[in-house]
Structure formats: structure tokens, C-alpha cells
Amino acid sequence: MAKPKGKSSRNKPATNSSGKKRVASAAFPAEKNRDEFFEGSDSEAPSNGEEDDQQVETAPEKRNRIAKEYMQKVNIGLQEQAGSDTETDEAGVHDPLGEILKQKAMEASGHMQRKIAHQLQLPCLRAASEATAGTSGHFIRTSKMAVTAVCLSSDDQTAYCVSKDGVIFALDTESGKRSKFDWHHTVDHSQTSGSTADWVKRKAQSVGKNALLAIAISFDDRYLVVGGGDKKLHIWDAKSHQYIRSLSGTTGHKDVITGLAFRDGTHELFSCGADRAVKIWSLDNMAYVDTLFGHQSEVLAIDILRQERAVSSGNDHTCRVWKIAEESQLIFRSHGMAVDCCKYITGTEWVTGASDGSLAMWSQTKKRPTSVLRRAHGYPRPGLAPFHVHSIASVNGQDPTAVSTNGLQDDGPVGPGSVGGDASSWIGAVGVCKGTDLVASGAGDGVVRLWQVADGKVGKVLHELGGLPARGFVNALQFARSGRFLVAGMGQEPRLGRWARDGTAKNGLLIHKLHLHE
């Protein structure tokens, strides 16, 4: 007689594949006690109150916390502005909050400008020319040779600069305290990297092998990168001043590095050099990414905002906009031979300074500059009426009488320490206060000139605001993000050569406070 299946299955002990009885253990509990085992494990686990109280906050959690705190502050401010009306509905509070957040995001991305140029309180150019740099600005002496490049940290608290003698300084913008980066425990940066390009061998090198000509800092103040005559990219920890490594080799530059720029919000680095190349690097991977060819001569400056579009200028009288994603470029031809400096104002507009002393405004939608200021610095060449209205002209067909005459009459060279001649009018640096309509330009005429970006008949134009005294050659300009001050890198010589010298000037950083009135 067959046994009942149910009874047999209930009474049969559990066995494994080898036929042996399976014994319940703490590691492998029986089926009916499995739930009790896992429930008891939580209660039996030792608790450590100190570890729970000091949990490590992750990066996403920190961003969420900061965003919530910021939104709460904005909400409180909006409620205070609304007054004592307690019946304000929730939608009425969130609408202005959304507008404020949208405006901040557009300003950060470069799609919207803050109008602050008209709020500046500046002396006229004649008053600035009669003053000295020490009376209206704070000068900090750094290196023995000319300062060539400047950058600011994201909080505007620290300024970094490099010079022709290969020195890197970090300076506190409030106290003026300075600290020098130590090269002794790093690789010898005086040794050049890679082979020199064929078209460079026939020319004498314009700067020494130890010279540093470019500097850039990442958006999070993590990486500080410098480059110059040794053809290498030297990467530092900006906060601890510790040397990380260098990038060079067969994929590196074959000649002097002249410009560096980080793309906003990333660790993607763009570099340019005298080997006619623009190179892209990823500091997240510490690796080379790509090379962009197109310039027919030395590339002298480069800039980029948040978009994947970089603008560069060079000695081939062109500006080029590089569309990274589309792998294409736009060519804009300048009237001047050497376009020494360029800076983005918005994602589609930028300003350049040239060796003939002209300051130009460009738009991505036009092949020619929308506005050109001839002889923006200094005084005209012999044979021309100094500071006559025809010495500064616009290419848009504007009325010449409506163009600024620099606020000066026939008085010759101006500014403390001006060397005069063509060298004084050579624009060596331009600066843009990010997200605003404020622009600055510097040369060797002893005055840093400030300009307002305004709407013209065809495109954007520059209106002169005034000047700030700056003795010597202005080789770099950097605005604080808040617009509270302007940092100028000064030198006895120009950045890329020694065709003129002002022996009475000093090498260092000049910080001018900017006063805004409501």
C-alpha cells in the first residue's frame, strides 16, 4: 500500500545534493527561522552613537543642503519685501523665486548681463594720468621680471600670477599677503619638452625657457595650471600649493605655450602656443584629448566660457571660434597683423586688442568686427593730429563726431611712466567682468581704460568710461566676479618681448578698488 505523499514530505529531513542531512546554522538558517534571524540581527548589532552623529556627508547631499538653504534665504527675503501681509499665497512667493533663480543661472552661463558699468565712479583720464599708481591703487611687488598672466580664485580672495623669471605667486587680495610656490621639489621645468617644429627653428625664441606666460585655475579652485617657455603644462594643487604633475610628450606643444583657459564648470583645459596649435586636455584623466589646427602663425590668446566654443587670436590677423562638438571653426579676419588678446563677453560676443592699438568688438554672426576703436591707447603717430576724432573710428558707419576722443586734447603721451611711441599704444591685455557690460584694456601708456558695452546701430560698441593709473606695461587684467576690484599684472617690459622698457616701473600686481553707486 502506497504511503501518503504529504505525510512523507513533511516528515522527511532536509538533505543536500550528497544525501547528507542539512543542519541549520547561523550562516544558513532554516526556512521557518529565516525571518527571525534577519530581524534579530538588527537588534543584536552593536550601536555606536558617535558614528551615527558624525556621518560623512556626500557631495550630492552637500549640494542639496546648500541649495535648500539658499532657497530658504531667498524665500525669507521675498516675504520680508512683501511686508506684513500674511495672506500671500504660496504661488505668489514661488514666482519671484523662480525668476531670481533663472536670472542667476542665465548670468552664470553668460546669456544675461548685469548692467554695472554706468554705476562706476571713475576719475577722468586726465586726472588719472596725473596721478600715480600708488595713490589710487594697492601695488604688491612680486617677481624680479615682468608679470605675464593673472587669475583669480572663485571667491575672489586669492590672486595667482606668473612672471618671465618662472615664479608663481599667490596673493591675498584683502591683506596683500603673498606666498611663493616652491619649484625645488618638482621636476626641472627648465628642460624643454618635445621637438621644436620646423617653422620655429629658423626664428629666435622670444622668451626664455624658464619664462611662464600663461596661468589658469579651475572653477572649483582645485587645479592651477601654468605654462610657458619649456612647452609643458605644469599642474598644481591651488590650495595646498603642492605640485601634481606635468603634461607634455609627443602630444604636447612644440613651442612656447602662450595661453590657457578652463571651460566653466569642468576640468577641461584649452591651451594655445607658438606652434600654431590649440590643444584640449582632460585633467580628470590627466590626459591629452585633441589638437585643433587652423592658425597660420603663432596663437597668442585663448578664452572659453561654459559652451563648447573657444575663441583664439593670433599673429595671422585672425580670430577663430572653435566649435568643439561640430569639429569645425569660424574664421574672423582682423585689420591688424597681431591680435594679442581676446576675451568673451557673452557666448557669442568677444573683445580683442591688437598690436596697432585698436580695440575691437566681435559677434559670431558677423565676419567683420561690429565696432573698432582706433588708437584706443596712447596718442597718434607723428603727422596725425593727437586725439583727433578721426583717430578713433568705427567700422559701422557711425558719425565720427559721436566717437569718443579719449577725453584728452593735444597733449602728447599721458600716464605715469608712459614710454611714448608705438610701444605705448600696443594693447597687451583686455579684461571682462564676467556676466556684466564692463570691459578694461591695458597698454603701455600708463592708464588702464574702462569701457561700457552698449548697443550700436549694427551691433555692440564700446563707450569709454574713464581710466585708472597704471605705471608700466599692463600684461594681464582680471576683474573680480563681484566687480569690486580689478587686478592688473604690471611689468617693465611687454609680455611677449623686449621691444620697449620702462626702467622706472615696477614688476608686480596692481589692485584697484572699483566703487559702484546705486
Side-chain angles (χ1 to χ4, degrees), residues 54 245 334:
Q54 300 178 358
R245 61 166 296 176
S334 173

Side-chain angles (χ1 to χ4, degrees), residues 193-476:
S193 171
S195 59
T196 306
D198 294 336
W199 57 84
V200 180
K201 291 181 180 180
R202 296 187 294 271
K203 299 188 303 182
Q205 195 167 355
S206 58
V207 295
K209 295 180 180 179
N210 291 336
L212 295 176
L213 301 179
I215 188 170
I217 190 170
S218 59
F219 73 101
D220 55 357
D221 300 335
R222 181 179 178 184
Y223 296 117
L224 182 73
V225 185
V226 299
D230 64 350
K231 312 172 191 176
K232 298 179 182 178
L233 295 177
H234 298 280
I235 306 172
W236 296 75
D237 188 309
K239 297 180 180 178
S240 64
H241 297 187
Q242 296 296 317
Y243 187 80
I244 299 177
R245 61 166 296 176
S246 64
L247 293 176
S248 58
T250 58
T251 58
H253 284 279
K254 306 302 181 185
D255 201 6
V256 177
I257 297 174
T258 55
L260 294 170
F262 274 100
R263 187 161 76 90
D264 287 349
T266 69
H267 291 148
E268 190 176 13
L269 178 68
F270 287 74
S271 63
C272 64
D275 57 354
R276 311 181 189 178
V278 173
K279 293 184 180 289
I280 308 175
W281 311 82
S282 173
L283 295 198
D284 289 327
N285 302 321
M286 293 294 172
Y288 160 82
V289 177
D290 197 7
T291 300
L292 308 176
F293 294 102
H295 278 282
Q296 302 303 308
S297 187
E298 296 92 342
V299 190
L300 303 178
I302 191 167
D303 193 31
I304 189 171
L305 296 180
R306 187 174 293 271
Q307 277 186 312
E308 285 188 299
R309 294 197 176 187
V311 61
S312 61
S313 61
N315 208 21
D316 55 355
H317 63 83
T318 65
C319 295
R320 295 174 188 256
V321 173
W322 306 90
K323 299 181 178 181
I324 310 303
E326 294 87 348
E327 297 184 355
S328 63
Q329 58 181 288
L330 302 176
I331 303 175
F332 303 85
R333 302 197 180 277
S334 173
H335 63 281
M337 177 57 70
V339 184
D340 273 34
C341 45
C342 62
K343 280 289 185 181
Y344 264 122
I345 297 176
T346 64
T348 58
E349 297 168 332
W350 65 95
V351 61
T352 61
S355 59
D356 62 351
S358 63
L359 197 64
M361 277 289 302
W362 299 81
S363 173
Q364 195 170 290
T365 59
K366 299 182 182 300
K367 286 296 185 180
R368 295 293 180 180
T370 60
S371 174
V372 175
L373 295 176
R374 313 276 184 179
R375 308 294 297 181
H377 285 257
Y379 61 98
R381 295 181 177 88
L384 296 178
F387 297 104
H388 193 266
V389 293
H390 294 291
S391 65
I392 301 179
S394 173
V395 299
N396 278 339
Q398 288 180 314
D399 183 7
T401 60
V403 183
S404 172
T405 60
N406 288 350
L408 300 171
Q409 303 300 325
D410 302 350
D411 295 326
V414 299
S418 175
V419 296
D422 292 339
S424 65
S425 63
W426 189 316
I427 298 180
V430 292
V432 175
C433 188
K434 189 174 180 181
T436 70
D437 59 344
L438 184 59
V439 175
S441 61
D445 63 337
V447 177
V448 175
R449 302 176 189 250
L450 281 82
W451 313 83
Q452 179 184 13
V453 180
D455 294 325
K457 293 181 180 179
V458 179
K460 299 291 186 180
V461 297
L462 294 174
H463 292 166
E464 193 169 67
L465 298 174
L468 299 169
R471 184 169 187 166
F473 288 92
V474 182
N475 296 326

